């Protein structure tokens, strides 16, 4: 199977992508490990983390040949995208669509997931070879936007990020998303250094995802 397709399918299989933000590489690594320990297999390591590419390299090396998929988030330019890809990132996420980032990702056969809010933005992204669109911020758009977008664009794969929680996860999947990005609602215990709390939250998200998929 083509590399790009393999990574895209791993993101969809993960179902919940943990969006990791931290003030240091060590902290980002600890939080990522706590999430994976809880059973979630999707990690988006944001480029707001210092030396994010080094953390990505460490994670992808450790979890190669497993179900875990490691990507880079908050990628704003093609230089950052290339750094992430060379470090081993298996998907690239941006808060908005950048055609130059799309070109780099296509060149290296890495899925690109740009933030989009409108059908026009989604169509532009699809035309550039994007496989998964990040509906961002999800808290502003809401599940109703997913249904609205899928009417004229039934082929678009949507992953909302921002405002996703255990309480509304089922609503998002019912609307037709293929995965969700989870940040503060999942990782809040990490603010107080409670990594066990992060793992416990991850376990709850895993259980909820399993419940949703069995329905």
């Amino acid at each position: 199977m083509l590399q790009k397709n393999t990574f895209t399918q791993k993101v969809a299989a993960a179902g919940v992508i943990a969006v990791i933000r931290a003030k240091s590489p060590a902290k980002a690594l600890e939080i990522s490990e706590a999430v994976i320990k809880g059973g979630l297999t999707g990690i988006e390591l944001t480029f707001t983390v210092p030396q994010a590419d080094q953390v990505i390299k460490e994670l992808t090396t450790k979890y190669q040949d497993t179900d875990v998929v490691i990507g880079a988030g908050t990628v704003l330019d093609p230089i950052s995208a290339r750094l992430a890809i060379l470090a081993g990132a298996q998907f690239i996420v941006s808060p908005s669509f950048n055609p130059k980032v799309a070109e780099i990702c296509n060149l290296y056969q890495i899925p690109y997931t740009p933030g989009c809010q409108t059908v026009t933005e989604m169509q532009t992204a699809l035309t550039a070879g994007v496989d998964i669109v990040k509906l961002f911020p999800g808290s502003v758009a809401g599940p109703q936007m997913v249904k609205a977008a899928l009417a004229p664009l039934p082929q678009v794969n949507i992953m909302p990020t921002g405002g996703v929680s255990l309480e509304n996860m089922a609503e998002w999947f019912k609307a037709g998303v293929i995965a969700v990005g989870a940040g503060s609602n999942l990782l809040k215990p990490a603010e107080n250094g409670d990594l066990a709390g992060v793992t416990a939250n991850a376990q709850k998200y895993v259980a909820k995802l399993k419940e949703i998929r069995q329905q």
Side-chain angles (χ1 to χ4, degrees), residues 45 47 72-82 84 91-96 98 101 112:
L45 202 291
F47 256 61
T74 321
V75 175
L76 304 178
D77 59 85
I79 294 173
S80 299
R82 187 171 184 272
F91 62 98
I92 300 294
V93 183
S94 298
S96 59
N98 185 311
V101 173
Y112 176 41

Side-chain angles (χ1 to χ4, degrees), residues 97 114-128 130 133-136 141 145-146 148-150 153 156-158:
F97 174 71
C116 297
Q117 264 280 344
T118 68
V119 171
T120 299
E121 291 174 349
M122 291 180 188
Q123 183 175 337
T124 300
L126 288 173
T127 304
V130 164
V133 163
K134 170 184 171 179
L135 183 62
F136 179 78
M145 181 58 195
V146 176
L150 288 174
L153 297 174
V156 67
N157 297 312
I158 298 175

Side-chain angles (χ1 to χ4, degrees), residues 10-11 13-18 35-36 39-43 67-70 206:
K10 286 185 79 171
V11 170
V16 177
I17 306 300
V35 167
I36 294 169
L40 289 179
T41 57
I43 299 291
D67 291 336
V68 175
V69 60
I70 309 292
V206 170

Side-chain angles (χ1 to χ4, degrees), residues 10 24-25 42 56 86 89 111-112 117 127 182 187 199 202:
K10 286 185 79 171
S24 72
I56 289 168
L86 293 180
Y112 176 41
Q117 264 280 344
T127 304
L187 306 175
T199 297

Side-chain angles (χ1 to χ4, degrees), residues 16-215:
V16 177
I17 306 300
V19 182
I20 310 296
R21 298 187 186 278
K23 293 181 180 180
S24 72
K27 201 67 179 174
L29 192 60
E30 285 180 349
I31 296 170
S32 298
E33 294 282 14
V35 167
I36 294 169
K37 185 178 179 181
L40 289 179
T41 57
I43 299 291
E44 176 190 326
L45 202 291
T46 65
F47 256 61
T48 55
V49 174
Q51 290 89 51
D53 57 321
Q54 295 177 22
V55 182
I56 289 168
K57 185 174 183 179
E58 188 163 345
L59 287 170
T60 53
T61 299
K62 180 174 181 177
Y63 292 101
Q64 61 182 332
D65 302 321
T66 71
D67 291 336
V68 175
V69 60
I70 309 292
T74 321
V75 175
L76 304 178
D77 59 85
I79 294 173
S80 299
R82 187 171 184 272
L83 278 173
I85 292 168
L86 293 180
Q90 297 163 331
F91 62 98
I92 300 294
V93 183
S94 298
S96 59
F97 174 71
N98 185 311
K100 293 297 183 182
V101 173
E103 286 179 7
I104 286 290
C105 290
N106 286 334
L107 176 63
Y108 287 96
Q109 281 292 289
I110 296 294
Y112 176 41
T113 303
C116 297
Q117 264 280 344
T118 68
V119 171
T120 299
E121 291 174 349
M122 291 180 188
Q123 183 175 337
T124 300
L126 288 173
T127 304
V130 164
D131 297 285
I132 301 173
V133 163
K134 170 184 171 179
L135 183 62
F136 179 78
S139 56
V140 174
Q144 64 272 18
M145 181 58 195
V146 176
K147 294 179 181 178
L150 288 174
L153 297 174
Q155 74 275 26
V156 67
N157 297 312
I158 298 175
M159 179 180 77
T161 299
V164 174
S165 66
L166 280 171
E167 290 72 30
N168 65 21
M169 224 172 96
E171 191 178 354
W172 282 109
F173 277 97
K174 187 177 179 181
V177 305
I178 69 159
V180 296
S184 57
N185 287 316
L186 167 64
L187 306 175
K188 193 169 184 59
E191 295 175 7
N192 302 314
D194 182 9
L195 296 177
V198 172
T199 297
N201 274 357
Q203 290 171 336
K204 292 175 184 176
Y205 273 81
V206 170
K208 189 67 177 180
L209 180 65
K210 185 178 180 180
E211 176 189 317
I212 290 168
R213 286 179 165 171
Q214 286 177 340
Q215 289 177 351

